[in-house]
Amino acid sequence: MLRLHVESKSFRTAAGGVLPVLGQIDLTLGRREIVALVGPSGCGKTTLLRITGGLDPAFEGTLAWAAGVMPRIGTVFQEPRLLPWRTVWQNLLLAQRSANLKLASDLLRTLDLSGSRDAYPGTLSLGMARRGAIARAFAIEPDLVLLDEPFVSLDPEAARRGQALLLEAWRARPTAALLVTHDRAEAAALADRILLLGGTPTRVLEEVIVAARARRPAGEIS
Ligand code: ADP
Ligand code: MG
């Protein structure tokens, strides 16, 4: 559904210099494929995610969508970014182009947030807020979901639970998804394919195809 070729990507520094971040990177994403980007902090994962979503056009290279049509994109940033003055339920509905109450309530159920429907984001734990952000991303009926370290700094139990629930939401309505993580176990649990990033400037050091059976089976929620 999309094909990205990055020739290079750099940022201008405050001092007026140039910071090279990404080298040559090719990334393709199938319509129902989950691809994980794994690499050390600062290597350019968020930058690559933003380029893929069309949020940063300032790079050398090309980004092409299937049939030339930009997909609908649901994003889950590292910080959940739910509107604090709206309830969880309102956050979902406000994101939708046309209201789909059934989808919104299905997603809250899948992500185990039905009981927090009318709660304000500030009253939720970080894990719940992250799950709310995932529900909102899927509530817009996206073709592509971008997830930037959606379970970072959660305790292992909350992270595993979030991963399993994310996979359930994806299974109900499979989309293309690009997942940034620095946790290889998380990548293996969720992705069809893992790109290990590294080097200077950053490139793909290794591509790992995850065997289907290695992925967490449906319904396994601890
Ligand atoms: P990661 O997500 O892998 O931690 P990032 O993509 O956030 O890495 O950042 C890659 C590098 O680019 C870092 O050195 C970061 O400081 C730099 N960088 C990111 N965004 C900007 C920006 N808007 N302006 C200048 N430098 C940036
Ligand atoms: Mg990042």
Side-chain angles (χ1 to χ4, degrees), residues 15-141:
V18 172
L19 174 72
V21 177
L22 303 178
Q24 275 198 22
I25 296 179
D26 284 284
L27 172 70
T28 60
L29 206 48
R31 244 162 37 83
R32 295 180 169 199
E33 191 180 29
I34 304 179
V35 172
L37 302 175
V38 178
S41 177
C43 80
K45 301 180 298 295
T46 296
T47 302
L48 186 55
L49 191 82
R50 288 173 47 81
I51 289 175
T52 306
L55 300 171
D56 184 354
F59 69 100
E60 301 299 315
T62 52
L63 173 62
W65 311 114
V69 180
M70 180 160 177
R72 275 166 80 71
I73 302 178
T75 42
V76 179
F77 293 103
Q78 207 163 314
E79 293 315 317
R81 294 198 193 170
L82 295 171
L83 300 175
W85 58 90
R86 301 287 189 179
T87 64
V88 170
W89 177 246
Q90 289 166 342
N91 266 277
L92 263 62
L93 295 192
L94 283 169
Q96 293 181 331
R97 189 181 287 176
S98 54
N100 185 338
L101 304 186
K102 179 174 186 316
L103 175 60
S105 77
D106 284 353
L107 280 164
L108 288 188
R109 191 168 338 105
T110 303
L111 285 148
D112 200 13
L113 287 170
S114 296
S116 305
R117 202 187 112 115
D118 299 318
Y120 286 89
T123 66
L124 304 178
S125 68
L126 180 60
M128 291 168 93
R130 291 261 176 79
R131 281 165 17 223
I134 291 169
R136 184 177 58 176
F138 280 94
I140 68 161
E141 302 179 60

Side-chain angles (χ1 to χ4, degrees), residues 109-113 131 134 138 151 158-171 190 216 220-221:
R109 191 168 338 105
T110 303
L111 285 148
D112 200 13
L113 287 170
R131 281 165 17 223
I134 291 169
F138 280 94
F151 308 115
R160 277 200 308 127
R161 184 169 163 70
Q163 290 160 11
L165 295 177
L166 165 64
L167 213 43
E168 283 214 1
W170 178 85
R171 282 203 176 94
L190 296 175
R216 198 180 294 270
E220 186 198 314
I221 301 164

